[in-house]
Amino acid sequence: MHQYFTDTELSTGMTWIPDARILHHMKDVLHMDNDTVRLVHEGKAWLGHVVQEGKQLSVIIDEEDRRYNELPYDLTLCIALVRREKFELILQKAGELGASRIVPFVSSRCVVKEKKEKADRQKERWQSILLEASEQCKRNRVPSITDIVSIHDLKQYTADCNVVPYENAYGASPMLSTVLKKGSVSCAIGPEGGFSEEEIAELNAMGFQCVSLGRRILRAETACMYSLSVIGEWMEVHEDIHDR
């Protein structure tokens, strides 16, 4: 069963007409006819069946889908700019693993530099990747992504619990899973070259606690996936009926 997000308010019995992007996917890629699809509007999901009339496809809304496939707390991933293919992989996996917000930032050891003249087109592509990842894993929300900021601005993206996995933390700092608590989480991941000692001190002053991801030094994209997996599992294990 495939899922699509829509700006149209939905209700049982109504007929929904897909936009050009979704129509192409339904008709030309998947060749749908009488298939069941999941549609989401502002976090609320509905199930419907595809109806084909000539060249036009539409969806008849059958019932509300009360499954809510989101983490019980907000999860912000602050990620330093890395090479494009790695950054786009991080975005895809962050969407699948439940991040609610992505904050790209620049730090001293970033190999990739921000190109302001391409910022709008680049952000549009990033949002498209997050949308497709959220549809694929049937989320009820699409993560937001901010403009690129400086590491000095991460204070405004802190949460109830703030962590910074650091390659020099093993043996000197607690493991990530041991510091988590109920509430929102913000996790800051450095670039390929890691954080400088001065940047770690600045992040600590903002409230980010150094944590270890284990004995091995992980690539930036691996550290993101590892951290989001650990945090997401912890949130779902410790979720109760009052957390939503």
Side-chain angles (χ1 to χ4, degrees), residues 203-229:
L203 288 169
N204 291 161
M206 293 178 190
F208 285 90
Q209 178 181 0
C210 288
V211 295
S212 173
L213 302 184
R215 300 172 187 268
R216 296 155 302 283
I217 304 299
L218 305 181
R219 296 177 185 270
E221 65 273 23
T222 309
C224 287
M225 295 179 212
Y226 183 106
S227 300
L228 292 175
S229 298

Side-chain angles (χ1 to χ4, degrees), residues 170-188:
Y170 183 75
S173 298
M175 297 292 289
L176 171 58
S177 60
T178 66
V179 304
L180 298 173
K181 59 184 180 181
K182 286 192 175 184
S184 58
V185 176
S186 186
C187 179

Side-chain angles (χ1 to χ4, degrees), residues 81-101:
L81 292 183
V82 295
R83 300 181 191 279
R84 187 186 72 175
E85 63 276 10
K86 292 184 177 181
F87 192 84
E88 292 184 353
L89 175 65
I90 290 168
L91 289 181
Q92 182 189 69
K93 301 312 174 187
E96 294 178 20
L97 291 168
S100 50
R101 179 172 60 182

Side-chain angles (χ1 to χ4, degrees), residues 118-136:
K118 298 182 179 180
D120 290 343
R121 186 172 60 184
Q122 178 177 253
K123 189 173 181 181
E124 183 178 342
R125 175 169 174 79
W126 290 349
Q127 290 173 327
S128 176
I129 292 170
L130 289 168
L131 171 65
E132 291 177 4
S134 301
E135 288 181 335
Q136 182 274 323

Side-chain angles (χ1 to χ4, degrees), residues 92-217:
Q92 182 189 69
K93 301 312 174 187
E96 294 178 20
L97 291 168
S100 50
R101 179 172 60 182
I102 315 296
V103 182
F105 68 90
V106 177
S107 62
S108 64
R109 294 178 180 173
C110 284
V111 176
V112 177
K113 303 300 180 184
E114 179 184 6
K115 297 181 179 179
K116 296 185 182 298
E117 67 276 10
K118 298 182 179 180
D120 290 343
R121 186 172 60 184
Q122 178 177 253
K123 189 173 181 181
E124 183 178 342
R125 175 169 174 79
W126 290 349
Q127 290 173 327
S128 176
I129 292 170
L130 289 168
L131 171 65
E132 291 177 4
S134 301
E135 288 181 335
Q136 182 274 323
C137 65
K138 295 179 176 56
R139 290 189 59 171
N140 286 63
R141 302 280 183 183
V142 180
S144 63
I145 185 164
T146 70
D147 294 332
I148 298 171
V149 301
S150 166
I151 188 174
H152 311 302
D153 299 321
L154 293 186
K155 174 66 175 176
Q156 61 185 298
Y157 300 105
T158 54
D160 298 321
C161 177
N162 306 288
V163 293
V164 51
Y166 184 39
E167 63 269 21
N168 295 330
Y170 183 75
S173 298
M175 297 292 289
L176 171 58
S177 60
T178 66
V179 304
L180 298 173
K181 59 184 180 181
K182 286 192 175 184
S184 58
V185 176
S186 186
C187 179
I189 304 287
E192 286 98 334
F195 289 113
S196 68
E197 291 184 4
E198 293 77 13
E199 287 169 338
I200 285 295
E202 182 177 4
L203 288 169
N204 291 161
M206 293 178 190
F208 285 90
Q209 178 181 0
C210 288
V211 295
S212 173
L213 302 184
R215 300 172 187 268
R216 296 155 302 283
I217 304 299

